[in-house]
Amino acid sequence: MSTPQFFKRSILATLVSLACLSSTAQAQTASSNQLVLESATMDLKADPCTQFFEYANGLWLKNNPIPADRSRYSAYDEVTERNMIALKKIAETAAAGHDQHRAAQLVGAFYASGMNEAQIEKEGVRPLDATLAKINAIGDKQQLISMIAVLHKQGINPLFGFTIDQDAKNANRYIPQLMQGGLGLPDRDYYLKTDTKTKEIRAKYLSYMTQMFSFLGDTSDVAAKNAADVLALETRLAKVSLTKVELRDPQASYHLSDLAGLQKLTKSTPWATYFSGVGLTQPGQFNIAHPKFFAEADRLLDRVPLDQWKTYLRWELLNTRASALSSALVNAHFDFYGKTLAGTKELQPRWKRVLASIDAHTGEAMGELYVAQFFGPEAKAGVQEMVTNIKAAMRDSIGKLEWMSDVTKQQSYKKLDTVMVKIGYPDVWRDYSGLQIDKGSYADNIARASEFEFKRVLAKLGKPIDRNEWGMTPQTVNAYYNPTMNEMVFPAGILQPPLYHVNADPAANYGNTGATIGHELTHGFDDEGRQFDAQGNLKSWWTPQDEKKFLLRAKAIERQFDEFNPIDQLHINGKLTAGENIADLGGLKIALQALRQSLKAKPQAAEIDGLTPDQRFFVANAQSFRSLIRDEMLRMKLATDPHAPDKYRVIAPLANMPEFAEAFQCKGDRSPLRQGAKRVNIW
Ligand SMILES: [Zn+2]
């Protein structure tokens, strides 16, 4: 099943935080240093005005080579790595079986099955046999659609995506959502671009597929032919898929319809068979997110021979489950997705991969054990206080905006006052009863957990909106804003040093986690989030004049980022990254105002390590984005990630903030400030 929470926006791409698990209480207590800010990692020889990223991070960048099993190494990854060691301990204790707690039993059995390498090697591709036999037995189009439904229920996603999520224009109800999908490469552009690098990737994708088909017993000729057929089919789907930029327009992904409407659009697809296959006899109204895509899928279902479809389904199954199978498949999968696409040198050790899989499939069971040990009420209270202050600063900033009319301001306050905040972990833990996880087959555990998750999401249909639901696990080192819920969510995993410390210098906490809170809050008002109202409905609440003025300002930030050229001839895509860039700039400005307000109430030392509170604020922000990235991963991010590369997330906002130039007394040629109409000022 596709990710729920369709329009969710996070502080980091999930693409780079796939294995994100979080940090430990040891870290919270062991850091006796009052600062989150780490002065020892700075390079004081660099000029803060013209080389701020290096000034704040120079020694860290020099002394922290990217680990062989990573494609990037950042402050977030430091937290993740430290935290994985704590989670390993939790999982090992659980696997030893002394804890009768349901979550511990589940995590323990899952971990034990994943660590049983001998058993996994012995099984080979056996866990796929039953499903492969069903695919081979498909005799007509009805059975093909029926099989697609079966695979969707198992968490395998051929052809398109299906989920249950809020109706974007009536956020008080859940409806089914049908979306474009079915691609094995990271984005449609990988199928269509003709530059050398992209062609190389496609060639390697073909040889990866060929190798994988041979593991199922295909002869080399047949395997190569099968790979070519899959690539041809996926390319036709890619051609009618919306681009990443087009996907940022929520209206472009909203087309309310019903079975009769869908059947009219796609005459030869037996949709009733699909819906009853997934367990929905009465789908009611639903969203056909991408009609053009489904029209083409319908044509393909009509014209592409059944045997090629069966090949494609085998491929989807094999590729999705590869990482849970024997080493030949794991290595082939890593060789393409890890090495070729992301530049990672080495496969992660098994225990890390198993923890990531537990996180993905039964993450809240792990989260329950984790927060019991590692997240205290004082951290929650500290973050809550920052949220209150940052919301107040945002209200203040809206009040002072010269470009916005009073009418729109009143609506903005309404949205701001309604935004819901979740900190740490869910009030109600997810109920895993009925899910069978045992110490037997790891791949079978994953299949059952995927099916259990599908049923959980399906069961939302017709029920009231579950406002307790979390879209990330508590141990995740990330945060998000969800516009249809009008909520921002900060898992315990991100509220850890060096990102947050309950006793840290407020200037450091506000520059780091405070800016993240401001970032998420601003998402409710960025080029995408502003289109949703206080109740989470996709419904304009702006006067046409204010909308025009906002779009002009958004255009200015697009231009600023279009100018950056991090590698080869590849530029940052200003349109793709606009929402995140608006959130970074707005979040930083609002967090600084909130810090200044809070220092009036609770004054702190004027200088620490020779730095004023404003200077420490900016340094802490830059340190939260310290990172090194492999070239391959950087290219993939530029093509697919709505977040700009980390360095630019630091320097670009500063070029729009006179507060920064003042803090470091940057004048004349040394001033990074953009002048006149080029300077972006939104929130
Ligand atoms: Zn974001």
Side-chain angles (χ1 to χ4, degrees):
M1 178 167 291
S2 304
T3 322
Q5 297 163 336
F6 212 44
F7 296 112
K8 188 176 85 181
R9 292 295 168 252
S10 55
I11 183 84
L12 296 176
T14 40
L15 143 84
V16 291
S17 56
L18 268 180
C20 270
L21 305 159
S22 83
S23 117
T24 72
Q26 274 131 316
Q28 278 279 11
T29 49
S31 170
S32 59
N33 187 352
Q34 200 211 354
L35 284 170
V36 171
L37 186 150
E38 294 175 34
S39 47
T41 61
M42 298 169 67
D43 177 4
L44 299 176
K45 281 191 224 109
D47 180 355
C49 297
T50 56
Q51 303 167 286
F52 193 64
F53 191 71
E54 291 72 21
Y55 170 80
N57 298 314
L59 291 189
W60 187 91
L61 295 171
K62 216 165 124 190
N63 296 325
N64 287 278
I66 305 173
D69 66 352
R70 292 202 163 268
S71 58
R72 186 196 75 155
Y73 195 59
S74 69
Y76 285 72
D77 296 317
E78 285 173 69
V79 178
T80 302
E81 284 291 326
R82 210 174 47 217
N83 184 56
M84 275 194 155
I85 291 166
L87 288 171
K88 181 169 179 255
K89 219 176 259 172
I90 291 177
E92 281 170 352
T93 310
H98 304 307
D99 192 339
Q100 291 310 303
H101 192 281
R102 162 90 186 133
Q105 287 184 333
L106 197 138
V107 167
F110 212 147
Y111 190 71
S113 76
M115 291 307 291
N116 191 344
E117 203 161 4
Q119 155 99 3
I120 292 168
E121 286 305 317
K122 210 173 89 195
E123 281 196 312
V125 293
R126 192 285 309 156
L128 307 185
D129 283 353
T131 311
L132 284 170
K134 281 189 204 158
I135 293 172
N136 286 335
I138 294 172
D140 59 29
K141 202 157 62 183
Q142 288 282 347
Q143 289 172 3
L144 171 64
I145 291 299
S146 209
M147 193 63 211
I148 289 177
V150 168
L151 290 171
H152 282 183
K153 276 163 63 176
Q154 295 179 5
I156 319 283
N157 291 303
L159 193 55
F160 62 92
F162 170 84
T163 190
I164 306 291
D165 200 359
Q166 283 168 286
D167 179 350
K169 293 197 177 174
N170 179 6
N172 272 320
R173 67 168 184 172
Y174 290 116
I175 52 169
Q177 314 266 351
L178 299 172
M179 314 153 265
Q180 68 183 40
L183 306 182
L185 290 171
D187 182 57
R188 71 188 292 284
D189 288 358
Y190 282 78
Y191 294 87
L192 308 175
K193 281 171 70 176
T194 53
D195 59 282
T196 320
K197 279 260 177 311
T198 311
K199 278 178 164 161
E200 251 174 56
I201 288 174
R202 276 202 296 274
K204 287 194 174 162
Y205 185 45
L206 269 176
S207 45
Y208 163 55
M209 286 195 281
T210 307
Q211 193 185 1
M212 291 291 269
F213 278 119
S214 72
F215 291 136
L216 291 185
D218 293 358
T219 61
S220 59
D221 284 0
V222 171
K225 158 88 170 63
N226 285 342
D229 285 346
V230 171
L231 184 64
L233 185 58
E234 290 185 355
T235 303
R236 292 185 67 175
L237 295 176
K239 279 185 185 153
V240 288
S241 295
L242 295 190
T243 64
K244 293 267 186 230
V245 169
E246 288 165 337
L247 285 170
R248 295 198 63 255
D249 170 8
Q251 297 283 1
S253 294
Y254 188 85
H255 307 88
L256 195 64
S257 191
D258 56 17
L259 199 50
L262 178 61
Q263 211 58 80
K264 217 169 133 192
L265 175 77
T266 56
K267 293 205 169 46
S268 54
T269 311
W271 282 105
T273 303
Y274 174 79
F275 281 113
S276 74
V278 293
L280 278 184
T281 38
Q282 301 281 338
Q285 285 191 308
F286 51 81
N287 179 25
I288 310 172
H290 310 110
K292 209 171 89 184
F293 177 90
F294 282 94
E296 175 67 4
D298 186 63
R299 266 190 297 277
L300 294 176
L301 282 167
D302 206 33
R303 289 174 199 172
V304 172
L306 202 57
D307 274 348
Q308 288 183 24
W309 279 110
K310 287 158 74 168
T311 301
Y312 172 67
L313 297 193
R314 286 163 83 212
W315 165 246
E316 282 282 328
L317 173 68
L318 192 57
N319 194 30
T320 308
R321 289 286 192 262
S323 330
L325 300 172
S326 53
S327 54
L329 288 98
V330 169
N331 292 335
H333 184 268
F334 169 75
D335 204 54
F336 182 69
Y337 288 101
K339 269 192 193 153
T340 299
L341 283 178
T344 315
K345 304 284 178 227
E346 271 174 25
L347 181 67
Q348 284 191 325
R350 172 166 291 279
W351 64 269
K352 284 190 189 175
R353 287 179 276 134
V354 175
L355 286 177
S357 176
I358 296 175
D359 187 66
H361 294 287
T362 55
E364 280 200 19
M366 180 65 110
E368 205 174 335
L369 303 175
Y370 167 77
V371 298
Q373 288 188 42
F374 296 124
F375 191 70
E378 60 297 333
K380 194 164 180 161
V383 176
Q384 184 62 59
E385 186 189 315
M386 279 208 286
V387 167
T388 306
N389 294 345
I390 286 163
K391 278 173 86 172
M394 177 85 181
R395 175 176 261 275
D396 201 47
S397 151
I398 291 170
K400 288 180 186 149
L401 291 179
E402 284 167 15
W403 59 270
M404 188 185 267
S405 70
D406 273 342
V407 182
T408 308
K409 279 183 184 175
Q410 292 309 319
Q411 295 297 320
S412 297
Y413 295 146
K414 231 195 216 164
K415 183 159 186 184
L416 188 63
D417 292 341
T418 320
V419 69
M420 224 171 35
V421 186
K422 292 174 177 169
I423 299 168
Y425 53 91
D427 292 337
V428 182
W429 289 107
R430 197 165 287 179
D431 180 3
Y432 290 102
S433 44
L435 170 59
Q436 188 208 331
I437 296 291
D438 56 38
K439 294 189 175 180
S441 163
Y442 180 48
D444 288 350
N445 278 336
I446 288 176
R448 282 192 299 267
S450 303
E451 195 145 359
F452 183 85
E453 171 63 6
F454 186 93
K455 284 189 187 140
R456 181 189 76 82
V457 175
L458 196 73
K460 291 182 189 178
L461 197 63
K463 296 210 183 104
I465 301 301
D466 177 6
R467 306 221 170 253
N468 285 312
E469 188 183 15
W470 279 54
M472 280 178 185
T473 62
Q475 57 274 25
T476 304
V477 190
N478 204 340
Y480 69 90
Y481 173 79
N482 182 4
T484 50
M485 286 281 205
N486 192 21
E487 67 173 4
M488 42 181 191
V489 182
F490 304 95
I494 198 175
L495 304 173
Q496 309 284 341
L499 303 174
Y500 175 78
H501 191 294
V502 70
N503 293 322
D505 164 29
N509 269 345
Y510 273 91
N512 196 322
T513 290
T516 304
I517 295 168
H519 172 107
E520 300 306 343
L521 191 59
T522 314
H523 268 319
F525 302 85
D526 72 19
D527 59 328
E528 189 176 357
R530 70 169 193 88
Q531 299 183 56
F532 293 82
D533 68 13
Q535 282 71 46
N537 295 307
L538 180 54
K539 188 177 164 196
S540 180
W541 45 271
W542 293 60
T543 68
Q545 293 88 334
D546 288 342
E547 188 167 82
K548 231 168 150 183
K549 287 178 192 163
F550 175 88
L551 292 175
L552 264 177
R553 284 168 162 73
K555 193 94 218 142
I557 207 164
E558 280 176 28
R559 281 202 201 100
Q560 184 188 10
F561 278 82
D562 279 336
E563 287 169 15
F564 293 122
N565 171 215
I567 188 170
D568 304 339
Q569 301 310 310
L570 300 174
H571 293 255
I572 297 179
N573 183 337
K575 266 198 161 47
L576 174 62
T577 56
E580 297 299 334
N581 298 334
I582 292 170
D584 282 337
L585 173 58
L588 194 63
K589 285 177 81 163
I590 290 157
L592 179 61
Q593 294 315 315
L595 168 68
R596 288 174 174 177
Q597 276 306 114
S598 90
L599 289 182
K600 278 185 199 161
K602 292 186 214 164
Q604 299 283 322
E607 283 197 3
I608 299 178
D609 291 345
L611 297 173
T612 67
D614 279 11
Q615 288 176 332
R616 297 191 315 264
F617 170 88
F618 286 116
V619 169
N621 182 257
Q623 291 188 344
S624 76
F625 284 113
R626 63 192 181 198
S627 79
L628 291 161
I629 186 165
R630 297 192 194 280
D631 289 352
E632 293 85 347
M633 187 61 183
L634 179 56
R635 287 191 197 100
M636 181 154 73
K637 267 175 81 72
L638 288 170
T640 60
D641 190 348
H643 304 83
D646 291 328
K647 177 179 171 177
Y648 303 92
R649 296 183 69 178
V650 172
I651 60 172
L654 301 182
N656 295 314
M657 288 180 71
E659 299 93 327
F660 172 76
E662 277 157 33
F664 287 92
Q665 291 161 18
C666 304
K667 292 188 188 115
D669 283 354
R670 287 177 58 242
S671 171
L673 261 191
R674 291 165 74 84
Q675 298 302 323
K678 280 180 120 183
R679 188 177 309 161
V680 187
N681 196 359
I682 306 179
W683 299 108

